[in-house]
């Protein structure tokens, strides 16, 4: 149990996906202009990360390792993720049309989000147990959502600020990310 | 040959993948702690991008447009697996220090982006030029970031164990934040602002 808590806190705060591991930066800068879409994106990513972790853990431990074809990791994982995203999209469209429209374009975009492939590869290299993989995915997704929401809140305020012309848009967003990262580095000694 | 040169030059500045298109940011930030890593990453991207552009340009006639994205991804993922195995066998140190970002070349938007936007519509020769230009642009961006980060963060410049110089004060008291993750955001943000200011990069 302690190990799972350590994995979870490590993923959310210490090795935050965006600020420390640099995974999922494209949606971080692309979708962080408004709070609503940012949270939708975060939830969608967390959801896909968790399901992808479960699926890839099963495939890795019951197919890839017994047959000694672990070097096929990358090809298999990316296919699993692409298929999963398609299935989830169809499933949500059939069962909950409101949620489908809430996710909108973000769901198909997740296939090429490095956070999802990242968590499956991290689970594989760290050799996490089944519970560990799920907790790592949930923690990673939560950390991703947290930083994305913080960033979009700051950027909403920033619209009103008088930023120098050449700093507007992406440059100032990067500087804010640096400051957020510094703040998060305070969690460093926690575990 | 004129078109070849034009496609090559385009990737360098006008559509520099990192600074102008803001593609491939994850590896650009994560592995730019040293020039060695930047060059290793460039090599990986070069092999994968060149291979995928050639293969996709070659098969562009037979690929049904509805299933093209999965096909492109399988081609790219296979090439990345090949690169991973090559790095693991011949450049084990580089393999260790690039870590998870070597397999993550699969989801590097630059590669799928070029496959979709360029190689699937253009002949092989032009696709090769495009791949080379984009890779050199990527390399320039990575070198620029990693050069600044390495000098400020370690106070010295060394490439593949060959020491160029060590700065007098900075060598003893390096500004460690620049090799930490936060320094990457700081440097790339300032560089982008500089490029906007000087007009190399267009405003939003």
């Amino acid at each position: 149990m302690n190990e799972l808590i350590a994995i979870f806190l490590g993923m959310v705060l210490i090795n935050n996906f965006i600020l420390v591991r640099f995974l999922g930066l494209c949606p971080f800068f692309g979708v962080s202009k408004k709070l609503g879409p940012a949270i939708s994106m975060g939830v969608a990513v967390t959801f896909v990360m968790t399901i992808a972790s479960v699926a890839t853990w099963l495939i890795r431990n019951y197919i890839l390792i017994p047959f000694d074809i672990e070097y096929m990791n990358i090809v298999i994982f990316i296919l699993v993720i692409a298929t999963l995203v398609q299935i989830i999209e169809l499933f949500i469209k059939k069962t909950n049309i409101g949620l489908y429209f809430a996710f909108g374009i973000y769901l198909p975009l997740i296939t090429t989000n490095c956070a999802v492939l990242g968590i499956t590869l991290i689970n594989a290299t760290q050799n996490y147990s089944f519970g560990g993989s799920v907790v790592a995915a949930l923690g990673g997704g939560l950390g991703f959502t947290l930083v994305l929401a913080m960033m979009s809140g700051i950027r909403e305020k920033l619209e009103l600020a008088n930023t120098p012309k050449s700093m507007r848009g992406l440059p100032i967003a990067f500087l804010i990310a640096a400051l957020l990262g510094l703040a998060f580095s305070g969690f460093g000694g926690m575990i | 040959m004129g078109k070849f040169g034009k496609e090559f030059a385009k990737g360098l500045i006008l559509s520099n993948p990192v600074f102008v298109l803001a593609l491939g940011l994850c590896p650009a930030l994560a592995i730019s702690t040293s020039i060695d890593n930047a060059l290793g990453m460039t090599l990986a991207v070069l092999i994968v991008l060149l291979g995928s552009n050639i293969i996709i340009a070659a098969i562009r006639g037979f690929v049904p447009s509805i299933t093209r994205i999965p096909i492109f991804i399988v081609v790219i993922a296979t090439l990345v697996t090949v690169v991973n195995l090559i790095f693991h066998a011949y450049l084990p140190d580089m393999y260790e220090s690039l870590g998870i970002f070597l397999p993550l070349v699969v989801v590097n938007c630059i590669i799928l982006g070029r496959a979709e936007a360029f190689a699937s519509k253009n002949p092989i020769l032009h696709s090769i030029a495009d791949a080379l230009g984009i890779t050199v642009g990527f390399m320039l961006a990575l070198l620029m970031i990693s050069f600044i980060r390495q000098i400020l963060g370690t106070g010295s410049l060394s490439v593949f164990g060959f020491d160029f110089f060590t700065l007098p004060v900075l060598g003893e008291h390096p500004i460690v934040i620049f090799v930490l993750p936060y320094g990457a955001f700081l440097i790339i943000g300032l560089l982008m602002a500089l490029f906007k200011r000087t007009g190399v990069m267009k405003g939003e």
Side-chain angles (χ1 to χ4, degrees):
Chain A
M1 196 59 207
N2 277 339
E3 191 204 355
L4 293 187
I5 293 173
I7 292 175
F8 185 76
L9 286 179
M11 282 286 177
V12 179
L13 298 174
I14 299 163
N15 290 319
N16 186 283
F17 257 57
I18 295 175
L19 297 173
V20 179
R21 289 192 199 265
F22 298 117
L23 295 171
L25 287 181
C26 300
F28 179 56
F29 289 112
V31 210
S32 62
K33 283 186 183 138
K34 284 228 157 60
L35 189 58
I39 291 179
S40 299
M41 182 72 187
V43 172
V45 168
T46 311
F47 187 58
V48 176
M49 271 168 70
T50 312
I51 296 184
S53 292
V54 172
T56 52
W57 191 89
L58 292 174
I59 290 176
R60 191 174 115 86
N61 282 276
Y62 291 106
I63 300 175
L64 296 184
I65 293 179
F67 289 99
D68 210 17
I69 46 170
E70 270 185 272
Y71 60 88
M72 290 296 283
N73 260 352
I74 305 167
V75 181
I76 304 277
F77 285 5
I78 191 82
L79 284 178
V80 167
I81 292 168
T83 319
L84 266 179
V85 171
Q86 290 278 317
I87 294 173
I88 293 170
E89 205 183 340
L90 285 177
F91 182 76
I92 292 179
K93 200 176 174 182
K94 275 279 178 222
T95 52
N96 190 340
I97 196 82
L99 192 64
Y100 177 74
F101 281 111
F103 280 164
I105 179 116
Y106 305 121
L107 209 49
L109 276 183
I110 288 173
T111 313
T112 51
N113 184 334
C114 37
V116 180
L117 187 62
I119 187 73
T120 60
L121 289 169
I122 289 173
N123 287 338
T125 47
Q126 300 280 331
N127 245 329
Y128 282 148
S129 64
F130 183 75
S133 306
V134 174
V135 168
L138 281 173
L142 186 67
F144 179 84
T145 315
L146 183 70
V147 174
L148 197 59
M150 284 164 78
M151 185 71 178
S152 57
I154 296 172
R155 281 181 87 174
E156 273 183 6
K157 294 273 179 224
L158 208 64
E159 293 283 305
L160 307 170
N162 186 16
T163 328
K165 201 168 161 235
S166 48
M167 292 296 274
R168 259 172 230 166
L170 272 183
I172 192 78
F174 273 104
L175 295 194
I176 292 168
L179 293 178
L180 275 179
L182 265 180
F184 266 69
S185 72
F187 292 116
M190 221 165 66
I191 294 182
Chain B
M1 246 7 225
K3 183 101 194 292
F4 189 93
K6 214 179 87 196
E7 296 300 348
F8 178 76
K10 183 192 66 189
L12 287 185
I13 299 158
L14 275 182
S15 51
N16 184 297
V18 177
F19 290 123
V20 181
L21 304 178
L23 290 177
L25 284 175
C26 307
L29 287 166
I31 56 89
S32 58
T33 46
S34 70
I35 291 181
D36 299 10
N37 282 354
L39 291 175
M41 192 68 192
T42 309
L43 181 65
V45 167
L46 174 70
I47 301 173
V48 175
L49 187 58
L50 199 58
S52 80
N53 261 12
I54 291 174
I55 294 173
I56 286 162
I59 62 172
R60 73 185 190 283
F62 331 113
V63 176
S65 71
I66 193 160
T67 54
R68 66 181 193 285
I69 299 286
I71 293 175
F72 294 169
I73 289 182
V74 174
V75 169
I76 294 168
T78 313
L79 284 164
V80 171
T81 307
V82 171
V83 169
N84 260 281
L85 294 175
I86 293 175
F87 270 57
H88 202 169
Y90 297 107
L91 301 164
D93 295 343
M94 190 64 79
Y95 181 81
E96 284 296 316
S97 63
L98 291 181
I100 192 176
F101 285 93
L102 197 54
L104 279 179
V105 173
V106 182
V107 282
N108 190 327
C109 333
I110 295 174
I111 293 166
L112 189 62
R114 292 329 288 172
E116 168 70 7
F118 197 89
S120 61
K121 299 184 190 98
N122 288 282
I124 295 179
L125 195 63
H126 293 166
S127 300
I128 295 176
D130 180 70
L132 293 177
I134 292 283
T135 312
V136 175
F138 183 66
M139 182 177 75
L140 283 182
L142 279 191
L143 281 181
M144 207 182 293
I145 302 168
S146 56
F147 182 76
I148 299 173
R149 284 183 75 186
Q150 199 181 356
I151 286 193
L152 292 177
T154 64
S156 59
L157 185 69
S158 65
V159 182
F160 295 117
F162 182 80
D163 291 313
F164 282 101
F165 57 82
T166 304
L167 292 174
V169 182
L170 221 51
E172 288 155 35
H173 306 286
I175 314 170
V176 186
I177 183 177
F178 287 107
V179 284
L180 295 175
Y182 336 111
F185 285 118
L186 206 63
I187 294 291
I188 200 167
L190 292 176
L191 278 176
M192 276 183 166
L194 184 72
F195 287 138
K196 267 193 166 179
R197 176 87 194 171
T198 50
V200 180
M201 196 176 118
K202 296 239 164 60
E204 278 175 46

